[in-house]
Amino acid sequence: MDTPKFRPATAADYPAICNLINSAEELFLVHPAGDFPWSITQLERLAEERFALTVVHSAEGIIGFANLYGKLEQQHAFIGNVIIASTQRGRGYGKKLIEYMLHHLLQELRLPEARISVFSNNTPAITLYRSLGFSPYAEELLRTAQGKWQQLIHMRLATHL
C-alpha cells in the first residue's frame, strides 16, 4: 500500500473530490442531501457548513475525502462524507482516513466522543467502524431520491481523555 498523505482540502481539490463519486447511489451513501453528479457548488456549500475538510492523496492523486460537523463543545463531533475512490478501496485507506479524522477530533479538538453515521447496507463501512471501536446508539430512516427507505445507523466512539 502506498503511504497515504492527509491535508486540508482546498477549492482546487473540489473537482477531484467530485470525481470520487461514481453514481447517485454512492452519493446517497456519502452525502444523502446531495444531487448527482456531485458538483463544485455543492462542495462549496458543504465547506460553509462543515470543518476540517480533508483529502487523502497518494501517487494516484486525490483518493479520499472526509470532514467534521455537528460539533458540540466538550461533547462530540461527527465524521462525515467519508469516501475512498472505488479503485482504491480494500487497501486500508479508509481505515487510515478515519484514524486521521479521529486524531483531529479527539486529540486536537479534545472532544470525548466521536460519532459517525452509516447506512445499514454499507457492510464494509460498518465493519470498519466496529473494528475501530464504534458502536451503534441510534437509527433513523431516510428516503432515497427513488422513494425507497434506507436505515441510517448512528455510531459513537467514547474515549478517555
Side-chain angles (χ1 to χ4, degrees):
M1 175 172 92
D2 182 18
T3 303
K5 294 181 179 43
F6 304 91
R7 64 170 172 77
T10 67
D13 298 321
Y14 291 178
I17 294 168
C18 290
N19 287 336
L20 295 171
I21 304 291
N22 297 313
S23 68
E25 295 77 21
E26 190 172 55
L27 179 58
F28 184 79
L29 293 176
V30 174
H31 185 56
D35 294 315
F36 186 77
W38 211 13
S39 68
I40 293 170
T41 302
Q42 291 178 75
L43 276 173
E44 290 169 342
R45 281 195 306 262
L46 190 76
E48 292 171 3
E49 302 167 358
R50 299 186 177 210
F51 64 101
L53 279 71
T54 302
V55 293
V56 184
H57 61 94
S58 72
E60 306 292 322
I62 291 177
I63 60 165
F65 175 71
N67 57 58
L68 300 176
Y69 70 99
K71 179 181 173 188
L72 291 177
E73 288 298 329
Q74 308 299 312
Q75 294 183 42
H76 64 263
F78 282 84
I79 300 171
N81 304 124
V82 179
I83 182 73
I84 297 294
S86 60
T87 58
Q88 302 300 314
R89 293 180 192 150
R91 298 181 183 190
Y93 292 124
K95 180 178 181 182
K96 295 284 187 196
L97 176 56
I98 296 299
E99 289 172 340
Y100 181 86
M101 300 306 288
L102 283 171
H103 175 79
H104 183 77
L105 192 149
L106 301 170
Q107 300 300 317
E108 295 176 29
L109 298 177
R110 308 282 304 155
L111 295 172
E113 185 176 277
R115 294 187 175 186
I116 198 161
S117 298
V118 60
F119 285 98
S120 62
N121 62 336
N122 192 346
T123 305
I126 293 169
T127 302
L128 170 61
Y129 304 153
R130 283 186 176 274
S131 77
L132 292 169
F134 283 89
S135 60
Y137 70 91
E139 61 185 56
E140 67 180 293
L141 291 174
L142 294 181
R143 192 182 297 266
T144 68
Q146 296 76 32
K148 296 180 181 178
W149 289 101
Q150 289 277 332
Q151 181 185 28
L152 185 64
I153 302 168
H154 300 292
M155 303 179 83
R156 64 180 161 211
L157 173 67
T159 63
H160 304 286
L161 294 175

